[in-house]
Amino acid sequence: MFSFWYVLGLFVAFICGIVFCHKKQKGHTLNIGERLVSKSVNSYLIHEQVTGIVVNNVTLPIDGSTTQIDHILICTKGVFVIETKHYSGWIYGDAKQKQWMQILFKKRSRFQNPIHQNYKHIKAIQALFDFVPTDQVKSLVVFTGDGEFKTPPPKDVVLLNGIRDWMNQHEDNVMSLNRIQFCYGRLEYLRLPDNEQTDKLHLQNLSKRQAL
């Protein structure tokens, strides 16, 4: 069992971290879907009494380029890398397909398989947290908006109201409070500043990759 003062100290550290994180994010506005997911995950932590912290809009330098992650939840259940998609209409997708399809008012649009997209994020976080067992770094794709799946949602893909049940499938207390704090510290130290300049840099890097 953790002592009262030890837990209290970590709690204060988390609160300070959250305030610090919010201050950093003044330069970047989360979109509707990202705000909904961040709020839902934070609500889950509070109501289920799970110790952790949610970090939004994380841009990391990787292999001379950048990768941008919507949300990273670091908690006693592990590290969860969350990709948010805010869609309306009908959604068709399979875990192995390179592209998924959205049908909205009879218009068909294709978009990158978010599972594949998040896999790259998972590898980046596993490299960053090389002291965390790889099976404790997990992927979650959340669809917000009023989109409706017309094919069965693949594993680890949920609607906004499915976050709680999905999280409860995972065992608690697999990560210590010390490890959570260390992960958060490393992430905040190595991420790029959360501002418009970083967003522009990431968009430039995306354009370069697409041109190859």
Side-chain angles (χ1 to χ4, degrees):
M1 293 292 294
F2 299 108
S3 73
F4 170 79
W5 292 110
Y6 179 71
V7 173
L8 180 61
L10 283 174
F11 176 76
V12 171
F14 274 122
I15 294 300
C16 291
I18 291 171
V19 171
F20 174 68
C21 187
H22 284 175
K23 286 181 179 178
K24 290 188 67 176
Q25 291 181 350
K26 285 185 178 180
H28 174 90
T29 301
L30 300 179
N31 65 37
I32 295 173
E34 291 168 351
R35 289 200 303 269
L36 289 171
V37 170
S38 181
K39 181 179 178 180
S40 180
V41 174
N42 276 298
S43 177
Y44 172 82
L45 294 178
I46 294 171
H47 287 96
E48 299 294 325
Q49 298 183 343
V50 175
T51 301
I53 187 168
V54 184
V55 190
N56 303 307
N57 194 54
V58 176
T59 304
L60 295 171
I62 179 171
D63 297 331
S65 185
T66 53
T67 190
Q68 197 166 73
I69 304 170
D70 291 338
H71 319 276
I72 301 172
L73 167 61
I74 309 169
C75 67
T76 50
K77 287 176 174 281
V79 178
F80 299 92
V81 182
I82 305 173
E83 175 70 20
T84 295
K85 296 296 180 187
H86 190 70
Y87 279 86
S88 298
W90 293 348
I91 308 297
Y92 295 82
D94 179 83
K96 295 182 180 180
Q97 292 175 323
K98 289 185 177 180
Q99 291 187 320
W100 288 9
M101 184 169 63
Q102 174 199 36
I103 299 180
L104 181 62
F105 303 122
K106 298 183 179 182
K107 179 181 178 182
R108 300 189 176 204
S109 303
R110 296 189 179 274
F111 59 98
Q112 183 181 1
N113 182 336
I115 299 174
H116 294 176
Q117 183 180 358
N118 213 33
Y119 177 77
K120 299 174 184 177
H121 301 158
I122 288 287
K123 301 306 291 184
I125 294 302
Q126 286 176 338
L128 183 67
F129 298 159
D130 54 359
F131 50 89
V132 175
T134 56
D135 63 348
Q136 290 181 12
V137 180
K138 302 169 185 179
S139 172
L140 174 62
V141 177
V142 181
F143 275 78
T144 61
D146 56 3
E148 179 184 353
F149 271 91
K150 289 299 183 179
T151 51
K155 183 177 180 293
D156 302 327
V157 177
V158 302
L159 300 179
L160 184 66
N161 61 9
I163 290 178
R164 180 179 178 275
D165 289 341
W166 187 88
M167 288 294 302
N168 282 338
Q169 295 174 7
H170 299 278
E171 182 183 355
D172 201 1
N173 298 317
V174 299
M175 284 187 65
S176 68
L177 299 179
N178 270 338
R179 179 156 289 187
I180 293 170
Q181 199 173 31
F182 189 74
C183 285
Y184 176 67
R186 175 173 285 195
L187 182 66
E188 285 296 327
Y189 180 73
L190 293 176
R191 69 185 292 193
L192 297 180
D194 190 3
N195 54 33
E196 292 182 3
Q197 287 73 25
T198 294
D199 287 343
K200 289 180 181 178
L201 173 64
H202 181 64
L203 288 174
Q204 291 171 0
N205 287 330
L206 283 177
S207 297
K208 290 178 182 177
R209 291 201 293 267
Q210 291 170 356
L212 294 177

